[in-house]
Amino acid sequence: NAFEAEQAIKRRLLPVAKDEAGLEAHFLLQHVGVDGAFCRVSEQTLTEIEPLLLRRLAGEPLPYVLGEWTFFGLPMLVNRSVLIPRPDTECLVEAALPIANGKRVLDLCCGSDCIGIALAKFAGAVVTASDVSAEALTVAKSNAARNDVSMRFVESDLFDNISESFDLIV
């Protein structure tokens, strides 16, 4: 059952995940469709999870292994082209929400664009997202579409390709 599988995966993850091993085991199982302690876990599911587990055991961060992470309650695609959204960055969004309400916002060096997307989604901000990395902008565009927000994207090294003014820069 899923509980036994989770415990076995947790034991394997202990060297790299330490105190988070149980939580990471749960996320890995959830990622392959196992949700609930009493679900049956097939051999096919265990085969499916093994390469993900090996990547994590090799030291790759769990969000990159999963290819997604949650930020401010929103699903975000992540890969090595972008930084992993962190819970402490959610404090920035919380502080900016009342300021960004309906305003023009520049998410400078946006990466996955988790900040800009959250501000567009929850404050109705008109967001321009910029990054020097075309690969990061590809991820950001996917995340905007995934979270049903519309925004402008600019490939720019800081302000090089940005000429308009904004009410807020994050």
Side-chain angles (χ1 to χ4, degrees):
N1 69 24
F3 178 77
E4 292 167 355
E6 187 171 309
Q7 292 305 305
I9 293 167
K10 176 184 174 180
R11 283 190 296 278
R12 288 181 66 190
L13 285 171
L14 275 171
V16 293
K18 313 246 183 293
D19 293 340
E20 300 293 320
L23 187 58
E24 289 195 13
H26 177 78
F27 282 149
L28 282 165
L29 282 166
Q30 196 173 45
H31 184 73
V32 296
V34 177
D35 199 13
F38 300 105
C39 294
R40 187 180 175 299
V41 179
S42 69
E43 285 301 316
Q44 179 181 345
T45 300
L46 293 175
T47 301
E48 200 177 316
I49 207 168
E50 187 63 21
L52 303 175
L53 184 56
L54 291 175
R55 287 172 56 194
R56 182 63 188 110
L57 289 170
E60 188 172 351
L62 183 64
Y64 291 155
V65 170
L66 300 177
E68 62 184 6
W69 205 239
T70 300
F71 178 82
F72 219 75
L74 301 171
M76 297 289 166
L77 299 172
V78 294
N79 61 33
R80 292 192 175 275
S81 300
V82 299
L83 296 174
I84 298 165
R86 298 176 45 91
D88 47 325
T89 306
E90 292 182 359
C91 296
L92 171 65
V93 172
E94 288 171 359
L97 276 172
I99 301 166
N101 195 11
K103 302 288 192 205
R104 292 176 40 103
V105 175
L106 172 63
D107 187 352
L108 189 64
C109 307
C110 69
S112 67
D113 197 29
C114 59
I115 297 168
I117 290 167
L119 293 176
K121 187 94 173 166
F122 300 117
V126 178
V127 178
T128 297
S130 79
D131 204 290
V132 69
S133 165
E135 293 85 4
L137 286 173
T138 298
V139 173
K141 289 173 186 175
S142 295
N143 282 330
R146 186 176 206 205
N147 286 285
D148 198 30
V149 294
S150 177
M151 57 183 55
R152 182 172 161 252
F153 296 92
V154 179
E155 188 173 334
S156 181
D157 186 359
L158 296 174
F159 295 99
D160 285 353
N161 299 327
I162 297 170
S163 57
E164 62 269 42
S165 61
F166 296 90
D167 301 305
L168 178 66
I169 299 172
V170 291

